[in-house]
Amino acid sequence: MNYMKEALREAGSALSKNEIPIGAVIVKNGEIISRSHNMCEEKKNPLLHAEINAISDACRILNSKYLDDCELYVTVEPCPMCATAIGLAKIKRIYVGCEEPKTGALGSVINIEDHMPWHNEVYFGFCEDECKGLIKSFFKDKR
Amino acid sequence: MNYMKEALREAGSALSKNEIPIGAVIVKNGEIISRSHNMCEEKKNPLLHAEINAISDACRILNSKYLDDCELYVTVEPCPMCATAIGLAKIKRIYVGCEEPKTGALGSVINIEDHMPWHNEVYFGFCEDECKGLIKSFFKDKR
């Protein structure tokens, strides 16, 4: 199963609600545990990024404070809030669709793990063109 | 009114539930809008830091995505997740009880605003000894 395609479907749901089109999926043993997208506008809460929602849902579903046996798929490189949230949840492996040159905190603008007591395995470039294309068209339409 | 004392009361509530004793209060025009403390253990969610809870509550109560006319009082220097959350919520003025030398992201380990498109006014050292004492005694008891 292509989990990044599922994250892209979530990003598409965000786009259809005029949210910044980013999606995230959390997988454990090959099974999708949670999936979400940006909900900042809908819920009027600037913290409800796709990764935050997916992590909170997965913790509730698994009844666990830590997700150390899970993987995260996210269409766009996480911001420092989300990169730290991923570390706090002890998610070790992260698959990222495309880089975020202005706010990306897994290496682009900053690498959070250089400053925090954890290490992530991060892999970039899954469905990169589709992930980047969604974001680009969203901001182009906004201008 | 001494808002840091109120944040300290929240930290005390956390301590009584065996949570890391950190509290936060959000104030608008001299009125406390929201108040919270760490709830990571209680809710089995590693993202529920005092600042995150207080920001989410304030956004809901004020029905606003941004808290640009609010101030945050927090007993311990925020981690990168919370420091970014504060910026995303556009909170401009932050009063901090004590520094956090291992994870503090308002200058100690890293300064998030050096990498992100916002500027905070940050003031340290309010009820410093009490804020630091709570944390120290918690981790001493844990060992």
Side-chain angles (χ1 to χ4, degrees):
Chain A
M1 189 181 199
N2 190 328
Y3 302 114
M4 194 60 82
K5 289 275 181 205
E6 297 301 314
L8 267 166
R9 287 177 66 165
E10 287 295 320
S13 296
L15 188 67
S16 72
K17 296 189 284 182
N18 210 25
E19 302 272 357
I20 296 177
I22 300 178
V25 164
I26 291 178
V27 174
K28 178 179 171 176
N29 298 333
E31 190 195 341
I32 292 179
I33 303 297
S34 64
R35 51 192 306 151
S36 193
H37 52 264
N38 261 4
M39 297 184 180
C40 296
E41 302 302 326
E42 180 187 351
K43 305 279 190 189
K44 289 197 179 174
N45 183 333
L47 314 189
L48 298 184
H49 290 188
E51 304 93 310
I52 298 289
N53 302 332
I55 292 170
S56 287
D57 287 349
C59 289
R60 196 182 62 246
I61 288 162
L62 297 173
N63 194 33
S64 171
K65 208 182 123 183
Y66 297 126
L67 305 173
D68 44 341
D69 44 9
C70 294
E71 297 166 352
L72 175 77
Y73 293 76
V74 60
T75 58
V76 178
E77 184 182 359
C79 77
M81 174 178 73
C82 294
T84 308
I86 290 164
L88 291 170
K90 297 187 190 284
I91 297 174
K92 294 288 191 307
R93 201 170 293 161
I94 308 146
Y95 298 90
V96 181
C98 65
E99 293 180 6
E100 180 19 279
K102 286 184 186 158
T103 60
L106 292 180
S108 287
V109 163
I110 186 178
N111 198 344
I112 282 292
E113 73 166 16
D114 291 346
H115 308 275
M116 298 297 281
W118 57 66
H119 173 69
N120 304 313
E121 284 175 47
V122 186
Y123 305 97
F124 277 90
F126 298 82
C127 309
E128 187 171 358
D129 291 342
E130 285 163 273
C131 293
K132 202 182 281 183
L134 264 180
I135 287 283
K136 275 197 172 174
S137 66
F138 176 79
F139 284 109
K140 204 172 174 185
D141 288 352
K142 285 278 174 195
R143 273 182 226 120
Chain B
M1 190 180 196
N2 190 329
Y3 303 114
M4 193 60 83
K5 289 274 180 204
E6 297 300 315
L8 266 166
R9 286 177 67 164
E10 288 295 320
S13 296
L15 188 67
S16 72
K17 296 190 283 182
N18 210 26
E19 302 273 358
I20 296 177
I22 300 177
V25 164
I26 292 178
V27 174
K28 178 178 171 175
N29 298 332
E31 190 194 342
I32 292 179
I33 303 297
S34 65
R35 50 192 307 151
S36 193
H37 53 265
N38 261 4
M39 295 183 182
C40 297
E41 302 302 327
E42 180 187 351
K43 306 278 191 189
K44 288 197 180 175
N45 183 332
L47 314 188
L48 299 185
H49 289 186
E51 303 93 311
I52 298 289
N53 302 333
I55 291 170
S56 287
D57 287 349
C59 289
R60 196 182 63 246
I61 289 162
L62 297 173
N63 193 33
S64 172
K65 208 181 121 183
Y66 298 125
L67 304 173
D68 44 341
D69 43 10
C70 294
E71 298 166 352
L72 175 76
Y73 292 76
V74 59
T75 57
V76 177
E77 185 182 359
C79 77
M81 174 178 73
C82 294
T84 309
I86 290 163
L88 291 169
K90 298 187 189 284
I91 296 174
K92 293 289 190 308
R93 200 170 295 161
I94 308 146
Y95 298 90
V96 181
C98 66
E99 293 179 6
E100 180 19 279
K102 286 185 187 157
T103 60
L106 291 180
S108 287
V109 163
I110 187 179
N111 199 344
I112 283 292
E113 73 164 18
D114 290 347
H115 308 275
M116 298 297 282
W118 57 66
H119 173 68
N120 303 313
E121 284 174 45
V122 185
Y123 304 96
F124 277 90
F126 297 83
C127 309
E128 188 171 358
D129 291 342
E130 285 163 274
C131 292
K132 200 181 282 182
L134 263 180
I135 287 284
K136 276 198 172 172
S137 67
F138 176 79
F139 284 109
K140 203 172 175 185
D141 288 351
K142 284 278 174 196
R143 272 183 227 119

